Amino acid sequence: SQKIEQNSEALNIQEGKTATLTCNYTNYSPAYLQWYRQDPGRGPVFLLLIRENEKEKRKERLKVTFDTTLKQSLFHITASQPADSATYLCAPLPGGYQKVTFGTGTKLQVIP
Amino acid sequence: NAGVTQTPKFQVLKTGQSMTLQCAQDMNHEYMSWYRQDPGMGLRLIHYSVGAGITDQGEVPNGYNVSRSTTEDFPLRLLSAAPSQTSVYFCASRQTSGEYNEQFFGPGTRLTVL
């Protein structure tokens, strides 16, 4: 069956460092992979999408990589700030009309 | 543009009661879905719809019914509530084509079943 794994343990890092979050998937062949941010008590908010033919995508301090051979995506936040503290979710996305499922999310805590 | 709206925000039910969680979107999105979120479990897909009149099951459909009579609305029905359905419920919608295909989420409904 399809499985999406994210590090369920919280990630604590010092302000200014780079945070790296991992998303591994099995029994999937996604056309895209999305990353979302979720703050406590709120719905997830879309951050970035990377396509299967793209190795890397950047947006301001965010960087996402996508390795379809390893079936893994890495999500990096450089120069992290306390405001980056949140839970980050990945979603391997099939093309077209297929359902979208999420990983369990990784809680990031940036310590001042 | 209101985006995705959900009502109610909070609800307390007794075991065996029924209710409908409402979800509406004004972005003309074809795809709509319902998730539940429990501590340590992430978002789990309950049901989804790819257009009016078309629905399908997700990962955890038991105990829930849906219908999609219009593009805008996608209600979730609990026929006989159970304590195991205590959770936060999120509705989401997205286009099925376009640059990002991102899902837009509602603010959630916090449901407690006693």
Side-chain angles (χ1 to χ4, degrees):
Chain A
S1 62
Q2 296 175 334
K3 202 171 179 184
I4 307 165
E5 290 181 309
Q6 294 185 253
N7 191 344
S8 58
E9 292 183 14
L11 178 63
N12 296 321
I13 66 163
Q14 210 68 36
E15 182 177 4
K17 301 289 187 188
T18 296
T20 298
L21 286 65
T22 304
C23 175
N24 295 300
Y25 58 91
T26 53
N27 297 322
Y28 260 103
S29 294
Y32 318 91
L33 194 141
Q34 297 174 327
W35 283 89
Y36 290 76
R37 170 186 171 135
Q38 186 176 24
D39 292 290
R42 306 183 88 100
V45 174
F46 171 78
L47 294 175
L48 276 173
L49 175 143
I50 187 165
R51 292 176 173 78
E52 60 180 338
N53 60 352
E54 296 175 318
K55 289 277 192 266
E56 183 180 297
K57 200 74 164 283
R58 291 176 186 260
K59 180 182 175 183
E60 296 173 354
R61 294 184 296 110
L62 308 180
K63 185 178 88 172
V64 172
T65 63
F66 193 12
D67 189 327
T68 54
T69 302
L70 289 179
K71 294 187 181 294
Q72 181 182 78
S73 176
L74 298 179
F75 178 81
H76 306 272
I77 306 175
T78 58
S80 59
Q81 305 165 0
D84 295 326
S85 299
T87 296
Y88 292 86
L89 302 152
C90 71
L93 192 65
Y97 290 88
Q98 296 182 56
K99 61 188 178 185
V100 181
T101 51
F102 284 82
T104 51
T106 298
K107 186 174 181 179
L108 173 67
Q109 186 78 28
V110 181
I111 303 161
Chain B
N1 231 356
V4 179
T5 57
Q6 291 183 239
T7 55
K9 282 189 168 35
F10 301 93
Q11 183 71 50
V12 179
L13 291 178
K14 292 182 180 176
T15 297
Q17 286 185 315
S18 63
M19 81 159 295
T20 299
L21 307 186
Q22 301 291 346
C23 174
Q25 52 93 10
D26 60 359
M27 297 172 281
N28 202 33
H29 287 167
E30 293 177 322
Y31 182 101
M32 294 186 75
S33 54
W34 277 101
Y35 296 88
R36 60 176 289 175
Q37 188 169 40
D38 305 293
M41 299 291 288
L43 286 165
R44 291 186 291 170
L45 181 66
I46 305 171
H47 285 285
Y48 67 103
S49 168
V50 298
I54 306 169
T55 63
D56 205 348
Q57 295 181 348
E59 304 166 278
V60 289
N62 292 340
Y64 307 95
N65 275 1
V66 292
S67 59
R68 184 102 178 264
S69 55
T70 66
T71 299
E72 294 79 20
D73 300 297
F74 191 42
L76 178 72
R77 295 184 190 83
L78 282 70
L79 300 176
S80 178
S84 61
Q85 294 178 304
T86 294
S87 188
V88 180
Y89 292 84
F90 289 102
C91 178
S93 74
R94 71 176 177 108
Q95 291 178 311
T96 52
S97 61
E99 188 172 2
Y100 297 120
N101 291 328
E102 71 264 38
Q103 290 206 86
F104 294 85
F105 284 82
T109 294
R110 283 138 189 84
L111 176 68
T112 301
V113 183
L114 302 175

